[in-house]
Amino acid sequence: MKRREQRTVRAGLSADNRRVLRRIERFLDSYSLNEVTQEEIVTDLTGMALECQQRGQPFSEAMGMDEAVFCQELVASCPRETRTERALAALRWMTAWIGCILPVMFLLECVFPWMSGDIADGLYYVPLSFLCKYLAAVLPVAAGMYIFKRLTYCSRSLVWTLFAVVFLFVFITVSEVSARLMSTVILPLSVWLWLWLFGGAFAFFHIAKRCVALTVAYRQKRKLLKGQERTEENESF
C-alpha cells in the first residue's frame, strides 16, 4: 500500500480507529525500529483497521489486549535502528530545528521591528547575542524532545507543553548573559542562504537515512528468506 493509498484509507476510518493507530505509532516510535520495517507495520495495521471497520468491529477490540502490550509483542522480532540510522536521524532532527531559527527570527523582526536587528539590502543584520540566545534556548529543548520521543511513549500535548515551559525558562536565563557578552557584535546574514544550507543538509541526512534503512531492511528480509529455505530443505529430507 503506497503512502497516498494509505492516507486515503485512513481518511475513511472512524475517529476511534484513527486515534488507536496514532497511539500505536507513538508507541512504535519509542522502540527505535528500522524506518522501513515500521512503515510496513503501520501499513499492515491500517489494513487491519479497515477490515475490522468493514466487519463493524472496533480495531481496539480486535487487538484483544492493551496497545502497549500489543506493540511489545509486535516488535519483539523486528530489526531496530542501527547506530548509523540513529546518528543520521539525530542530525536530521537538529538540522531542521537550527534551520528554522533564523527564518523565525526574521519573521519576528518583520512583525515586531523593535525587537532586534535590521533588514537592509536583502540581509538580516542580527546581533550575535540575539542569535546565540535563540540557539541556546532551542537546541537543548530540541535534543530533549528528540530523546524523550524515542525513549518513551508520550502524548504530543505533553511534549509541546514541556517544550514551551523549558524554552521560556532557558530563553530568559541566557538572555541577560548573552546580551552582556556579545551585545556589540552584529552579523549580516542571508535568510535565503541559511534556508538553502540547512535545507540541503536536512535533505542529505534524510536521503542518507532512508538509504541505510532500506539496506538494513533488505538484508533482514534476505536473512529471513534464507532461513525459510533452509527450514524447507530440512523438512523435505
Side-chain angles (χ1 to χ4, degrees), residues 52-82:
C52 292
Q53 182 168 300
Q54 291 172 344
R55 294 196 306 265
Q57 181 184 24
F59 184 44
S60 56
E61 181 181 315
M63 287 190 299
M65 62 185 73
D66 180 71
E67 292 157 2
V69 178
F70 177 77
C71 289
Q72 288 176 0
E73 295 186 0
L74 192 65
V75 304
S77 59
C78 294
R80 301 303 199 263
E81 283 184 326
T82 62

Side-chain angles (χ1 to χ4, degrees), residues 31 34 42 65 88 110 133 154 185 226 231 234:
Y31 288 102
N34 172 267
V42 172
M65 62 185 73
L88 290 171
C110 293
K133 180 168 56 176
C154 54
V185 182
K226 287 183 179 180
T231 302
N234 293 332

Side-chain angles (χ1 to χ4, degrees), residues 127-133 136 173-186:
L128 179 60
S129 59
F130 200 66
L131 180 61
C132 290
K133 180 168 56 176
T173 302
V174 303
S175 178
E176 186 65 25
V177 176
S178 60
R180 289 181 178 179
L181 296 178
M182 298 166 286
S183 58
T184 59
V185 182
I186 305 295

Side-chain angles (χ1 to χ4, degrees), residues 101-215:
I101 288 177
L102 191 66
V104 170
M105 292 171 58
F106 179 79
L107 291 175
L108 289 174
E109 177 66 25
C110 293
V111 178
F112 308 105
W114 60 88
M115 288 190 64
S116 68
D118 293 301
I119 302 171
D121 301 324
L123 296 177
Y124 179 32
Y125 292 86
V126 57
L128 179 60
S129 59
F130 200 66
L131 180 61
C132 290
K133 180 168 56 176
Y134 270 91
L135 286 171
V138 169
L139 294 186
V141 176
M145 287 178 64
Y146 178 79
I147 296 170
F148 191 57
K149 177 184 176 184
R150 295 173 66 86
L151 292 183
T152 183
Y153 170 83
C154 54
S155 65
R156 292 180 181 177
S157 58
L158 174 62
V159 171
W160 285 107
T161 301
L162 288 174
F163 170 77
V165 172
V166 176
F167 174 81
L168 288 174
F169 174 77
V170 177
F171 187 83
I172 294 171
T173 302
V174 303
S175 178
E176 186 65 25
V177 176
S178 60
R180 289 181 178 179
L181 296 178
M182 298 166 286
S183 58
T184 59
V185 182
I186 305 295
L187 298 178
L189 299 174
S190 171
V191 177
W192 291 112
L193 180 60
W194 183 283
L195 284 172
W196 275 105
L197 287 175
F198 285 97
F202 176 85
F204 171 78
F205 292 133
H206 179 75
I207 294 172
K209 184 181 185 302
R210 187 67 180 177
C211 291
V212 174
L214 286 168
T215 302

